[in-house]
Amino acid sequence: MAQWTSAVGAAQLARLLKSQQDRPAGPGSRRPPAYRALADGIRLLVLEGRVPVAARLPAERELALSLSVSRTTVAAAYEALRTEGFLESRRGAGSWTAVPAGNPLPARGLEPLPPEALGSMIDLGTAALPAPEPWLTRAVQGALEELPPYAHTHGDYPAGLPALRAMIAERYTTRGIPTMPEQIMVTTGAMGAIDAICHLFGGRGERIAVESPSYANILQLMREAGARLVPVAMAEGLTGWDLDRWRQVLREAAPRIAYVVADFHNPTGALTDEEQRRRLVEAARSAGTVLVVDETMSELYLEPGLEMPRRVCAFDPAGSTVITVGSASKAFWAGMRVGWVRAAPDVIRSLVAARAYADLGTPVLEQLAVNWLFSTGGWEKAVAVRRDQARDNRDALVAAVRRELPGWEFEVPGGGLTLWVRTGGLSGSRIAEAGERVGVRVPSGPRFGVDGAFEGYVRLPFTVAGAVAEEAATRLAAAARLVEAGASNGGESPRTFVA
């Protein structure tokens, strides 16, 4: 019986391998044999989670044709992977990916580091900060005081607690965007919100336009839902969207929905201006595309006096084109799994109806805690603490990376939680792999792209402070040296397989 659970086509694997391009090898460095480079490239894709474990690989002849190499090269690469424990084969069943005994299964997304590993590993994989105390404790205490009346009910509120829906609606209204409670659904975090929206609008095979790069976990969520992702490149630097490209994609691909982050984009940190927001809403409306706007970073502006643009939904107040997603997880604490959707009432009713077959509702106690924060002014005070933390962390990380890795390039964003860093021509995937060996966990650029784009980048969240930020940069520099040493020693090259 076959041991594989999915399959990777020859053309798809070739695209992933060809995306792993780096700078040319330096003077005196030696390239590994072609079969070794191919084996390293496939192994790296497995370790990154971009090729799943137990995925059937293409036959040797098929892959050789797609890569324009000899079948002998592919056969030797497969044999090397079998020897190392990254491939298993059976006559008549083909070959499928594996991981050697004792190796952890690779993550498809950006899961937090297990608590037991925190002592030896600096975790730059997750863009999340510790809770802003004492506000978490106060919010939970306030929620407990409000809990007794709800304890006498069934506890299921598929649309969210009425009090919290009204409070969220009021917050939009005070920002100049008239909103009724009927336009709000409370969800289990922003991921729960976007998952519900994708299932409602983006069924299997539907096109979804996404920024390129974009948030890795959302991209994976959409892939798992069977969507066909259509990437739209961001403009240069921190300037936001390329409207000409967006118009072209909306016109020619006609995606059912489009997912964007207008405020301190994850991972680049870009902030789009009001004119871009207005024009993208108009383009989406003309194309009949539903624009899903992720606002989870919108309150994390870090520069004093920075004037924030109006929310994207301000240019579509009725919610017929724009669906807005918000969350307490980034601005307050990732452990507070409360998100929300703002949309037209008929969209909210459809989302609520579909929820009966998913999670039924968001935990009552957490909703009461967020409602306490909103209603008492605690939210504004807690977010102010969060901004101070993020700003100090950002400045410490920027200084440390510039000192330890002067060849790495990035622009400093005015908000959010992430730096998008060009790694001086080195493979971001290999930096991530080497980082695990020297005690720093960092996600590589391809996690944030479609079909292996952004191999020359890593994302660095500013979630560690002071001496820890300095040590993280020191370990990243050590990882970079390991990658560079692989080329000069004739071992694992920073340049992976390129046909």
Side-chain angles (χ1 to χ4, degrees):
M1 189 170 95
Q3 303 296 308
W4 47 273
T5 57
S6 62
V8 180
Q12 179 187 5
L13 184 56
R15 284 197 305 272
L16 290 169
L17 289 164
K18 289 177 181 178
S19 74
Q20 298 176 329
Q21 297 185 39
D22 267 329
R23 66 182 183 182
S29 63
R30 292 176 293 158
R31 284 189 183 177
Y35 85 89
R36 182 70 261 173
L38 175 55
D40 289 346
I42 294 174
R43 178 177 58 83
L44 193 59
L45 291 172
V46 173
L47 290 173
E48 280 263 293
R50 288 188 281 143
V51 169
V53 174
R56 186 181 186 275
L57 295 186
E60 294 169 2
R61 187 184 303 276
E62 294 175 9
L63 186 57
L65 287 172
S66 291
L67 293 173
S68 299
V69 298
S70 72
R71 183 177 175 181
T72 302
T73 296
V74 178
Y78 278 15
E79 180 58 33
L81 290 169
R82 276 190 287 269
T83 301
E84 296 161 6
F86 286 93
L87 197 68
E88 296 181 11
S89 303
R90 180 174 298 167
R91 186 178 297 276
S95 300
W96 55 92
T97 57
V99 291
N103 279 39
L105 287 176
R108 300 296 302 276
L110 301 179
E111 289 81 358
L113 193 68
E116 61 269 18
L118 291 175
S120 59
M121 183 77 69
I122 298 176
D123 186 10
L124 296 182
T126 304
L129 290 163
E133 289 287 30
W135 298 106
L136 174 61
T137 299
R138 292 180 183 177
V140 173
Q141 290 170 342
L144 287 171
E145 293 175 2
E146 299 292 330
L147 183 61
Y150 295 94
H152 296 291
T153 74
H154 50 62
D156 288 335
Y157 296 88
L161 295 183
L164 181 55
R165 294 176 73 195
M167 182 60 67
I168 294 171
E170 181 182 330
R171 289 172 63 83
Y172 278 105
T173 300
T174 57
R175 290 183 172 91
I177 307 164
T179 303
M180 304 178 294
E182 291 79 8
Q183 291 178 261
I184 301 296
M185 181 177 83
V186 180
T187 63
T188 307
M191 290 289 289
I194 294 169
D195 182 56
I197 293 166
C198 286
H199 279 88
L200 181 63
F201 290 98
R204 187 164 293 276
E206 290 280 4
R207 293 185 181 92
I208 299 180
V210 295
E211 297 154 320
S212 184
S214 186
Y215 178 36
N217 285 341
I218 294 296
L219 294 180
Q220 190 58 34
L221 181 155
M222 292 173 176
R223 292 187 189 103
E224 297 290 344
R228 298 164 61 190
L229 301 183
V230 182
V232 186
M234 297 287 288
E236 290 295 320
L238 299 178
T239 56
W241 300 320
D242 184 327
L243 268 299
D244 290 336
R245 291 183 181 178
W246 268 105
R247 287 196 194 92
Q248 180 181 3
V249 167
L250 292 174
R251 182 177 61 251
E252 296 178 359
R256 184 71 182 89
I257 63 177
Y259 169 76
V260 297
V261 184
D263 303 296
F264 310 118
H265 174 260
N266 186 354
T268 68
L271 176 66
T272 62
D273 60 35
E274 282 199 8
E275 185 59 23
Q276 286 180 306
R277 298 172 189 228
R278 183 193 306 277
R279 290 164 63 193
L280 185 58
V281 171
E282 291 172 352
R285 184 182 294 118
S286 298
T289 297
V290 176
L291 191 61
V292 181
V293 181
D294 185 335
E295 290 188 342
T296 52
M297 297 282 192
S298 63
E299 297 195 56
L300 290 177
Y301 48 87
L302 306 183
E303 299 300 335
L306 177 64
E307 185 175 346
M308 290 293 293
R310 283 181 290 171
R311 304 289 177 92
V312 177
C313 57
F315 303 101
D316 179 50
S320 59
T321 297
V322 177
I323 297 178
T324 302
V325 173
S327 173
S329 298
K330 294 297 186 185
F332 186 74
W333 183 46
M336 188 68 77
R337 305 305 304 162
V338 175
W340 53 87
V341 177
R342 181 196 180 276
D346 63 315
V347 172
I348 295 297
R349 286 193 294 270
S350 296
L351 290 170
V352 171
R355 193 173 194 179
Y357 308 102
D359 64 355
L360 292 177
T362 304
V364 169
L365 189 63
E366 293 187 21
Q367 292 187 72
L368 289 172
V370 173
N371 192 58
W372 183 91
L373 288 165
F374 285 157
S375 61
T376 62
W379 177 267
E380 283 71 23
K381 294 175 182 177
V383 173
V385 171
R386 171 67 76 239
R387 292 190 193 110
D388 290 342
Q389 288 177 317
R391 185 186 307 110
D392 291 345
N393 290 359
R394 180 198 64 182
D395 295 347
L397 185 63
V398 164
V401 172
R402 283 177 171 166
R403 181 179 66 251
E404 297 292 335
L405 292 150
W408 287 19
E409 303 172 25
F410 55 88
E411 293 191 47
V412 181
L417 290 171
T418 59
L419 293 177
W420 184 237
V421 181
R422 192 190 299 268
T423 54
L426 295 176
S427 162
S429 297
R430 294 198 177 277
I431 292 288
E433 184 187 18
E436 296 279 350
R437 287 185 266 157
V438 299
V440 60
R441 183 172 183 256
V442 57
S444 67
R447 292 288 186 90
F448 304 88
V450 176
D451 279 340
F454 307 110
E455 183 61 50
Y457 289 82
V458 294
R459 188 193 73 170
L460 302 182
F462 24 97
T463 52
V464 293
V468 180
E470 294 179 6
E471 179 62 21
T474 299
R475 295 185 186 186
L476 283 171
R481 288 193 293 272
L482 283 176
V483 174
E484 290 181 312
S488 60
N489 293 335
E492 287 190 11
S493 171
R495 169 180 290 275
T496 51
F497 186 80
V498 182

